[in-house]
Amino acid sequence: MSKRLNVVIALLIVASVVLAACGGGSSNAGGALKIVSSLPMTGSSLTQTQTIVNAMQLRLEQAGGKVCGGKYTVTYEPWDDASAALGKWDPAVETENANKAAADKSIVAYLGTFNSGAAKLSIPILNAAGPLVMISPANTNPGLTKADKDLPGVTDSYYPTGTRSYTRVVAADDIQGKVAANFVKSLGATTVYILDDQELYGKGVADVFEATAKEIGLTVLGHEGIDPKAADYKALMTKISTSNSGAAPDAIYVGMVVDNNASQLLKDKVAIMGDNSTVKYVGPDGIQTQAFIDGAGADVAEGAYASVAGVPLSELPASGQQFVKDYTAKFGELTEPYAVYGYETMNIALKAIEDVCAAGGDPSDRAAVNKAVFAIKNFDGALGTWSFDANGDTSLTDMTFYQVKGGKYESVGTFK
């Protein structure tokens, strides 16, 4: 072998090593990908969010932490967007999380947020970072994805690139608020007083409830925002107790999350107006958690209603039933309804990555993963068979109501 040929071979070897170290420019080179979630892991919502995180971890473990025929490893990090100071999600922390994710190029999917107000902050940051796709297990404010006649909503400022990059696997409040108003009427109520926690989610669902209530002939006696930091609500409940021509309303609807003093609000309602069979008490998914019952006390919470998107765990399709079985075997009894939505978000993220690889693309390309998420149609997942629409919303529209019975929520019916 000539000296010149040895030099050429040596240069080729060096070049191949450099290409491999740089990722090689081929989707077949493999590498490491990261998925993160941003959810409140501090405060009363932890009862719900810990089960969501558990479910996300479970789904990734089932995939062996690998995608694309084992060429890529996937790691998952659950981030906390709450602070001890607020005891719930914190705008400053959520913004910090979004900026951190935007800067870490190994992150290809952002699973979250839990609170709609948090999503409103993160969407434009992550949209400008690739875009980096968001897949929420729990946001329900319609305005994150679409405008509604009762709730002016999404603007182009959420999506500075002009490309949609936010999706959610749960039905929005333009469905939840309307179904809730009809549900209250079905309980025999003709009058209702509405309260909300003045956050994007709570006020949003309460506004849709109010608009629908008026459309279907319910008399709305009042609608006001509460102070989540108030020591008690006895004065407010005393006022409401005479709002119906000197009597109490037939029902009270509350748009809020458990972190915003929801249990105290119920305590004072029962103290002033009696149990929940006397004046019905109804709320959205933000109070459908064991923490709400435990905070108020089982006797006080008895009879209260709350709605959650989807069907009860016992009525999930076969793949959903398998999820419940696997979850229970690993983490114990599952009672929180949002865990399956966490499982589905990781399901979607992994499928999108696999689809990018199957098409010969690069799964570290955020734009490619985002496009693959929006392309998902007729997905056979733990929630059933469903699709994303062009706005990033799910095609599933079922809404289930639960009632507190004996210290636990029990389903009482599913509606559309």
Side-chain angles (χ1 to χ4, degrees), residues 123-403:
I123 288 173
I125 296 172
L126 299 177
N127 183 260
L132 175 57
V133 68
M134 290 179 69
I135 312 171
S136 171
N139 295 154
T140 54
N141 184 273
L144 298 174
T145 58
K146 55 193 173 185
D148 181 86
K149 67 182 179 62
D150 301 321
L151 190 68
V154 63
T155 67
D156 290 340
S157 64
Y158 285 15
Y159 303 97
T161 66
T163 298
R164 290 299 184 102
S165 56
Y166 170 82
T167 61
R168 51 185 161 197
V169 297
V170 61
D173 289 338
D174 52 340
I175 298 170
Q176 183 167 217
K178 291 174 182 175
V179 173
N182 282 285
F183 178 76
V184 168
K185 187 175 182 179
S186 76
L187 296 175
T190 60
T191 57
V192 62
Y193 205 100
I194 303 170
L195 300 172
D196 69 64
D197 61 8
Q198 304 189 67
E199 289 196 1
L200 186 66
Y201 158 77
K203 187 176 186 310
V205 69
D207 285 347
V208 175
F209 178 95
E210 179 180 358
T212 306
K214 292 176 178 176
E215 289 174 0
I216 63 176
L218 283 172
T219 299
V220 177
L221 300 171
H223 179 177
E224 59 187 292
I226 67 160
D227 176 5
K229 296 181 180 179
D232 65 66
Y233 303 95
K234 290 185 174 65
L236 172 64
M237 291 302 174
T238 298
K239 182 180 74 173
I240 295 174
S241 70
T242 59
S243 62
N244 186 20
S245 300
D250 297 325
I252 294 175
Y253 184 78
V254 294
M256 65 190 310
V257 293
V258 65
D259 312 75
N260 284 336
N261 227 356
S263 296
Q264 185 62 50
L265 189 67
L266 177 59
K267 284 181 182 179
D268 292 330
K269 176 266 177 187
V270 171
I272 302 298
M273 285 177 269
D275 64 34
N276 300 307
S277 63
T278 305
V279 176
K280 305 292 190 296
Y281 198 82
V282 184
D285 50 327
I287 63 168
Q288 210 285 26
T289 174
Q290 190 62 39
F292 172 68
I293 300 172
D294 294 344
D299 291 344
V300 170
E302 184 74 11
Y305 295 95
S307 57
V308 176
V311 299
L313 294 175
S314 61
E315 297 177 21
L316 288 170
S319 54
Q321 294 298 325
Q322 185 61 50
F323 156 70
V324 174
K325 181 179 179 181
D326 294 342
Y327 185 100
T328 302
K330 186 173 180 64
F331 300 107
E333 182 184 11
L334 176 61
T335 57
E336 295 292 334
Y338 268 107
V340 68
Y341 289 95
Y343 186 85
E344 201 79 319
T345 57
M346 182 64 81
N347 231 354
I348 289 297
L350 296 178
K351 174 173 172 49
I353 293 170
E354 294 283 7
D355 287 350
V356 170
C357 286
D362 178 359
S364 67
D365 180 349
R366 291 176 171 180
V369 174
N370 179 59
K371 186 176 180 181
V373 168
F374 274 81
I376 288 175
K377 306 294 180 188
N378 299 315
F379 179 63
D380 188 14
L383 297 172
T385 302
W386 60 274
S387 305
F388 280 129
D389 66 17
N391 290 327
D393 282 311
T394 175
S395 59
L396 297 176
T397 58
D398 289 324
M399 196 66 60
T400 297
F401 275 85
Y402 298 79
Q403 186 177 27

Side-chain angles (χ1 to χ4, degrees), residues 38-56:
S38 186
L39 309 165
M41 306 303 292
T42 304
S44 299
S45 289
L46 181 61
T47 307
Q48 295 168 303
T49 54
Q50 185 60 62
T51 66
I52 293 173
V53 167
N54 290 346
M56 290 175 177

Side-chain angles (χ1 to χ4, degrees), residues 52-112:
I52 293 173
V53 167
N54 290 346
M56 290 175 177
Q57 291 173 329
L58 174 64
R59 180 63 189 91
L60 184 58
E61 288 172 9
Q62 290 173 339
K66 302 279 187 181
V67 291
C68 305
K71 293 175 182 173
Y72 288 85
T73 60
V74 180
T75 57
Y76 164 59
E77 294 180 4
W79 293 356
D80 187 356
D81 72 359
S83 67
L86 296 186
K88 61 176 186 176
W89 81 274
D90 187 322
V93 178
E94 177 55 36
T95 301
E96 180 182 353
N97 284 353
N99 282 317
K100 186 167 65 173
D104 184 345
K105 299 304 182 186
S106 69
I107 297 174
V108 295
Y110 192 89
L111 308 185

